[in-house]
Each structure stands twice: as structure tokens, then as C-alpha cells.
Amino acid sequence: EGQVVGGVRWDWPRQHSEKLILLVQEVLEQAQLSWEGISGVVYHQGPGSHTGLRIGLAAIKAWALSLGWQVYPVPLLHVLRHLGGPWAGERALFCGWEARLGEWYGQLWQAGVPLTSPSVHPQADWLAQLPTDLVFVGNIRIPGQEGLYLSEVSWQAVAAAAESVTPFHEATDIVRLTPLYFRPFVPTQRRSSAG
């Protein structure tokens, strides 16, 4: 009912698959809830870590399909728009995130309406096309512009942004959910040093 009843922040790398279920169980116990007492789950769809997103989505699909949960997929840029939209008002809002290699993943909005599609471009290309009077939100900085710098996105912000997301509840829709990445994901074959 819109109230936080438990939560945990966990930042240990390379142990997501081993710890995820245990941490969720811990939060459920803190909140005095059971697995069956949950009706939906909010999923940060990315972009983000390839492995982290895949592990999280695999767990969410399993829980949603076996327990009948609804899934609320929330992309990063949706969270940033949710955080910056009220502050920007009628001004342009640029939601952007550093995507490495001098590139930003971003989207331009105005009054809640997208002006561009989510995309990755070099920082200089974004700066050349952005309006002069704007507000930005993300882990980027635009010199001379008003902005909200975030080094990370909290689970509380993702949960708040989920309020305006239409949940998936059909099994076929849940199965088709995929993570969002900054760039197309291309699996690579590892080569042994002996070969």
C-alpha cells in the first residue's frame, strides 16, 4: 500500500546468483511476509551489468510464473524521468547515463512527452543537439545547466517509478521480457590459453 516494509542493499560482486534468494527471504522475514503474500515485483530492466540483469530477470520470471506475480519492468530512463520530471516542469529534461567510451545513453523529454528515443551517442553529439535551457538528471554533468547528479539509482527510486508502469501478468508476456543494455549484447566465445 505504498509503504516500505523492508529492504536491503547489497554490493558484493560476482555472488548475485548465490545470494539473491537468501536476501529476498531475509527481507520477507523482516517485513513478516511470505512468498505467497506478494502479488507483484518491480524489475529494474536496465541498462546495467549484463550478468546482474540476466540473473535478476531469471529469478523474477521464475517467481512470477510459479507464484502468479505481476511484473513491473522499469527502464533506467523511466526512473530518471520520474525523478526529474516534476523539477523540470515545462522545460526540456535530458535523462542521461554514462555508457563508457565517452558515450551517453539518454533521452530528451519535455512536459512528460519524449522528444527522442532512448539511444547511445558520443557526449559531444548529445551536447550539440540539446536545447540551451534544460534540466538534466543522471550520472552525467552538463556545464552551465541545472541538474540532478546521481551516482547510482536506488531501489526506492525504481519502486516509485513503477507506479506509472503497466504490469505484465500474462505468462507469455513475462517470458518475453528481456534486459535492456547500452549496446546490443553479443555473446562471445571464450578461448582457452592452450588453443
Side-chain angles (χ1 to χ4, degrees), residues 1 4 18 30 40-41 44-45 66 75 77 86 88 111 119 121-122 137-138 142 156 162-163 183 194:
E1 298 174 359
V4 175
E18 293 94 350
Q30 287 174 4
V41 61
H44 184 264
Q45 198 173 11
S66 64
L77 295 178
S119 55
H121 297 291
V137 61
I142 301 177
Q156 294 95 333
E163 292 177 3
R183 295 171 189 84

Side-chain angles (χ1 to χ4, degrees), residues 99-168:
R100 293 187 314 209
L101 307 173
E103 295 179 323
W104 289 350
Y105 174 71
Q107 186 172 20
L108 185 62
W109 295 77
Q110 188 151 18
V113 177
L115 302 178
T116 63
S117 297
S119 55
V120 175
H121 297 291
Q123 174 184 339
D125 291 357
W126 275 116
L127 292 173
Q129 72 175 345
L130 292 175
T132 56
D133 181 32
L134 66 84
V135 172
F136 72 87
V137 61
N139 74 343
I140 53 141
R141 296 185 197 275
I142 301 177
Q145 299 294 335
E146 191 177 348
L148 174 61
Y149 176 82
L150 304 168
S151 60
E152 62 184 41
V153 173
S154 70
W155 61 264
Q156 294 95 333
V158 175
E163 292 177 3
S164 59
V165 171
T166 302
F168 289 52

Side-chain angles (χ1 to χ4, degrees), residues 44-48 74-83 95-98 105 139 150 152-153 158 161 180 182:
H44 184 264
Q45 198 173 11
V74 183
L76 170 66
L77 295 178
H78 187 87
V79 177
L80 299 180
R81 183 183 61 82
H82 179 80
L83 292 170
C95 302
W97 205 259
E98 177 68 41
Y105 174 71
N139 74 343
L150 304 168
E152 62 184 41
V153 173
V158 175
L180 298 175
F182 291 121

